[in-house]
Amino acid sequence: MAENKPGLFSNLVSDIPSGIVVFLVALPLCLGIALASKAPIFSGIIAGIIGGIVIGIASGSHLSVSGPAAGLATIVAASINDLGSFQAFTLAVVFAGIIQLVLGFLKAGIIGHYFPSSVIKGMLAGIGLTLILKQIPHALGDDQNYEGEEAFFQPDGENTFTEIILAVQNISIGALIISVVSLSILILWSLDFIKNKSFSKIIPGPLVVVIFGVLTNMLLFQGTESLFLQDDHVVNLPNAKNFSEFASYFQFPDWSYFNNKSVYITAITIAIIASLETLLSLDAVDKLDPYKRIAPPNRELKAQGLGNLISGLIGGLPITAVIVRSSANVSSGAKTKMSAVVHGFLLLFSAIFLAKHLNMIPKACLAAILLVVGYKLMKPSLFKTMWDKGWSQFIPFIVTIVAIMATNLLQGIMVGIAVGIFFVVRTNMRKAIKVVQKNDQDYILQINKDVSFLNKASIRNILRNLPENSHVTIDLTKAEFIDNDVIETIEDFTFTAELKNIHLNFKGTEDMDIHHKIKELASV
């Protein structure tokens, strides 16, 4: 159906406002992640521009948005320190991009199809809850920590919860006023009587919030200067006085490090982590996409590789697909990847022409926007849906949320995937074997599909508990592969069956190309 495949240019009325929203979300995140990475502050903007324009065009994803990722900030900071210069690090970013291109051509993106659904949904909810908790201090005027921080333990020695306590104890009234009214505007913009108005589709609520925040802060300056927000409480985009100063923000790789093995170790590390985070985000965005389109993961790896190659060449941070920006894109009504491209061009335009004006935006109003984004990622209805699906889905979902909140995004997801795989294996093991009791003496052990050494313990337990003097049929009709460990378990049971006077027979071996021992046992 045509409505399921929105055209790139036929939906600009939706994609341009969405691009503006993503731009407003991305701007402080790009700057904050650069600061956390101990890199030149403009390197975050470069990565955001390349992530929006280059990757936005090259990617096959309709709604994913790429840029610098908080999950890489610690690695970037350590790598810059180890290599001795930022220019040496950008060479590693170039090589990381080449590795990702190679991974894309090798079709390594297929790994993205194997992440458990419960873990992906847990990732979305975990990011949403973390986003809310991390933005509360900014909404209250505590802007000591960088925007986009995800880790539970913070660089300043505090953690997510103690930072909130400190913020509550030191509330900035000016920030509180701006954030509360900003939230009220966003809630108002989400109500039907506003949503149904044509102007709300052209003028996004977050843009209204930013304009309100700037005007309110100017009024506070004119009225009560003690409430006025400045310095760390507003956006701090580098403001070049002329073209030569602007050009100096771009730094190029130091090719003299070409033979330094540490550069290659850093490149491999960045390529692996950035690819993993990208594939996770890609899968998550596919679940958020109202059109349920599936992005090609191998093409995404190639796009990310191209983006990191170019970002490294001109002095940008490493890039990944980022779920916070992507979810803001989805929730603001984007329909195609043009919204990501628009956000990239807005970052570029603002860096050249609008830095002075953007530096008037209070972080409190941006925090309000991110609070709403966080809520949309972890709505209570999602928890109810996962609960209704049973423990095998709910437990990995909750574990992923808790793990992300207690550590950081990547570590939390790894914990969630481990738990998710356990439940997947457990479920498959249960479905592979079924025992049917026809009466007190007759039992049928059905092998419903392939069985491996993972099924050995359950098969052994079932066979051990069969009563004496019974008749047991082992039905192999639906099995196509039986692992040697399982064959040996059945073979051992034939001796036990004689001792317990169990009459044992087999069904289905005549139609199967399986281990000859099973056929020998069946003929006994």
Side-chain angles (χ1 to χ4, degrees), residues 110-171:
I110 193 172
I111 190 176
H113 294 311
Y114 293 97
F115 299 126
S117 175
S118 57
V119 174
I120 297 300
K121 291 177 181 177
M123 179 184 80
L124 290 170
I127 291 172
L129 189 53
T130 300
L131 196 58
I132 289 172
L133 294 175
K134 290 292 186 181
Q135 290 305 312
I136 289 174
H138 292 291
L140 299 178
D142 181 354
D143 296 302
Q144 297 181 60
N145 289 288
Y146 71 94
E147 289 279 0
E149 184 183 34
E150 298 170 348
F152 180 75
F153 294 105
Q154 301 175 172
D156 62 357
E158 303 295 337
N159 62 51
T160 301
F161 296 112
T162 60
E163 191 66 40
I164 293 174
I165 293 171
L166 288 174
V168 171
Q169 293 173 345
N170 300 280
I171 294 176

Side-chain angles (χ1 to χ4, degrees), residues 77-92:
S79 298
I80 294 172
N81 182 65
D82 292 342
L83 293 173
S85 74
F86 181 69
Q87 289 84 355
F89 173 75
T90 58
L91 182 60

